[in-house]
Amino acid sequence: MQLTTYWAEYAWLDTHVEPGVALDVTDGRISAVRKGVGTPPPGAVVLRGLTIPGLANAHSHAFHRALRGTVQVGSGTFWTWRDVMYKIASRLTPDSYHALARAVYAEMALAGITAVGEFHYLHHAPGGTPYADPNAMGEALIAAATEAGIRITLLDTAYLSSGFGAAPDRHQLRFSDGTADAWAERVSLLKDRDGDDVRIGAAVHSVRAVPADQLATVASWAAERRAPLHVHLSEQTAENDACLAAHGRTPTQLLADHGVLGPRTTGVHNTHLTDTDIALIGSSATGTCMCPTTERDLADGIGPAVALQRAGSPLSLGSDSHAVIDLLEEARAMELNERLRSRTRGHWTAAALLAAATEDGHASLGRPDAGRIEQGALADLTTIALDSVRTAGPVPRLAAETAVFAASAADVRHTIVGGRHVVRDGAHRSVPDVPRALADSIAALRG
């Protein structure tokens, strides 16, 4: 049994900022939270700034990081962006994907992210031929996260159709297992492992990509294992229109009809919803993962997050296409987007936004015991500087507001996962040059 004590200059304890908090960590979990500790105890590891629970990135496509900058040239739509994305996807191998993902997950660690939900659909070799290990690409992602020091929930994704029963196009052959039964057979070979570090979940790419009569197969696989189930939902109005034409109902209604909604399910984006859709999502306790920096980058629109939460849908956050990797920016963007739409302020408190970025995000990834600084919780912590050019000035009791509405990923000083210091004083301890790792892995994919 290994005991480490961390001393937080200031700690966020769900409702308030507490000065001088000693955190005892035993075997990767918080074993004691001691308040009123004015100076660091002998031998304690000092965390200067505001320490919050580790951030949860609930929606990631790691290979999209290679698109940053490239897809900001000129104009276009989601659909033209998708064409560029397909070109990058076609060039990835298990080895090159491992190198890229390791760098991306290290970038996440530098941003204070301690767990990622990887929405993974790049399964096979070009042309759709399985690798000798049919999960070689998923295993590459798991290894990358492990080496970068963060937890991963691999949301292995069923992607079977180019649209409402049509065969996959040539770009999508890598994504498809042919049928949901074949998908289930392959993904069943993957197992949770490494204590709390690796979880295996499931995903329906979208109602476009999984035929209606196969949705229940994916939902049942997740239900039998009590695993997280995620789905892209109503990101584009074109998806809604096509679903109405094919099935006479919205994507949300179609998912409800086939047993996909529920408390272990998270809809990603949930942008273009009817009042009936919102009621279905909320009454089933289906979660909502908002990805504001991607949704604005792709001109998707602003989802009805306020109405969804009021209806009963827990909110989480993701960096999705990685236009930026900054969960603090995602949190404040959700509030600021709503301000622009409604022309009123204060839809969420800093505490509520931090909950979306931490506790509720971890829960959506199958870790309800993470995201809080309390005895028994996983010892995943993020420390944000309060003396940078962005954060200096406010009184300490407003540190949560400062972090959410002024700080950025660049202000993260420490990232601790399971009591292990992954990022210390702003430097990644196992990937010493993250910018170079990103540059090299992305350059290797250029045609």
Side-chain angles (χ1 to χ4, degrees):
M1 189 167 65
Q2 183 174 1
L3 172 66
T4 302
T5 298
Y6 289 93
W7 180 81
E9 183 180 22
Y10 299 98
W12 175 250
L13 301 182
D14 287 341
T15 59
H16 66 285
V17 175
E18 183 77 25
V21 178
L23 303 171
D24 294 334
V25 175
T26 305
D27 295 336
R29 291 184 179 268
I30 298 172
S31 52
V33 178
R34 293 181 279 131
K35 303 177 186 178
V37 183
T39 58
V45 180
V46 175
L47 305 175
R48 295 282 179 190
L50 174 67
T51 296
I52 64 174
L55 299 168
N57 188 353
H59 189 67
S60 163
H61 302 289
F63 75 91
H64 291 190
R65 175 62 178 82
L67 302 172
R68 188 183 295 178
T70 303
V71 290
Q72 276 70 43
V73 177
S75 59
T77 66
F78 169 87
W79 308 102
T80 55
W81 169 90
R82 191 175 71 160
D83 291 338
V84 180
M85 179 269 287
Y86 283 159
K87 291 178 183 177
I88 293 294
S90 70
R91 296 170 184 157
L92 285 161
T93 66
D95 287 343
S96 63
Y97 204 6
H98 171 266
L100 174 61
R102 178 176 179 267
V104 173
Y105 296 150
E107 182 182 358
M108 290 185 194
L110 289 172
I113 292 163
T114 59
V116 62
E118 183 62 38
F119 200 102
H120 167 55
Y121 54 83
L122 190 56
H123 302 306
H124 306 300
T129 302
Y131 290 102
D133 174 355
N135 288 302
M137 295 296 263
E139 293 289 357
L141 291 166
I142 291 169
T146 299
E147 292 171 28
I150 69 173
R151 306 183 196 273
I152 186 171
T153 297
L154 187 74
L155 298 161
D156 195 287
T157 304
Y159 193 135
L160 310 173
S161 168
S162 63
F164 297 98
D169 67 24
R170 62 187 180 87
H171 301 292
Q172 298 161 343
L173 290 172
R174 296 196 75 175
F175 310 161
S176 178
D177 291 295
T179 67
D181 285 335
W183 167 85
E185 182 178 354
R186 177 184 55 75
V187 74
S188 293
L189 300 174
L190 291 164
K191 305 295 181 185
D192 294 348
R193 67 199 78 167
D194 299 328
D196 298 295
D197 291 347
V198 178
R199 292 275 185 272
I200 305 300
V204 170
H205 180 273
S206 58
V207 295
R208 289 181 288 111
V210 178
D213 62 358
Q214 299 186 60
L215 289 169
T217 300
V218 184
S220 295
W221 186 94
E224 288 167 5
R225 292 158 179 79
R226 303 188 63 80
L229 174 62
H230 288 215
V231 53
H232 289 136
L233 180 55
S234 289
E235 181 178 5
Q236 297 290 321
T237 55
E239 176 183 287
N240 289 359
D241 294 342
C243 190
L244 285 165
H247 297 290
R249 58 214 338 99
T250 67
T252 300
Q253 291 170 321
L254 188 68
L255 294 174
D257 289 347
H258 292 275
V260 177
L261 302 185
R264 285 191 305 279
T265 299
T266 297
V268 180
H269 304 302
N270 292 3
T271 307
H272 303 286
L273 303 177
T274 67
D275 290 345
T276 299
D277 293 339
I278 292 170
L280 283 170
I281 292 167
S283 63
S284 62
T286 299
T288 295
C289 180
M290 304 297 290
C291 306
T293 65
T294 289
E295 289 150 6
R296 71 192 184 197
D297 183 53
L298 298 180
D300 286 343
I302 300 171
V306 171
L308 283 161
Q309 189 170 52
R310 286 176 178 166
S313 179
L315 299 180
S316 56
L317 297 164
S319 63
D320 192 4
S321 68
H322 313 312
V324 297
I325 294 177
D326 188 337
L327 262 288
L328 299 173
E329 174 63 22
E330 303 292 348
R332 70 171 153 265
M334 187 164 70
E335 165 66 25
L336 298 182
N337 283 354
E338 192 63 32
R339 292 182 187 185
L340 285 173
R341 179 166 62 175
S342 66
R343 292 183 291 175
T344 59
R345 303 176 74 221
H347 303 276
W348 292 278
T349 63
L353 294 170
L354 280 175
T358 58
E359 181 176 1
D360 291 335
H362 289 291
S364 80
L365 300 179
R367 293 188 181 85
D369 54 349
R372 298 180 305 281
I373 297 178
E374 65 180 30
Q375 185 176 2
L378 292 172
D380 294 0
L381 306 168
T382 297
T383 302
I384 300 163
L386 297 177
D387 58 357
S388 77
V389 293
R390 289 165 292 276
T391 60
V395 296
R397 67 179 176 80
L398 298 177
E401 286 76 9
T402 303
V404 171
F405 290 104
S408 77
D411 296 309
V412 171
R413 291 294 175 264
H414 304 284
T415 304
I416 295 162
V417 181
R420 305 183 308 271
H421 230 129
V422 176
V423 172
R424 189 163 192 166
D425 296 320
H428 200 290
R429 303 189 77 185
S430 60
V431 185
D433 191 344
V434 178
R436 173 53 56 191
L438 286 163
D440 289 349
S441 60
I442 292 168
L445 301 176
R446 295 195 181 110

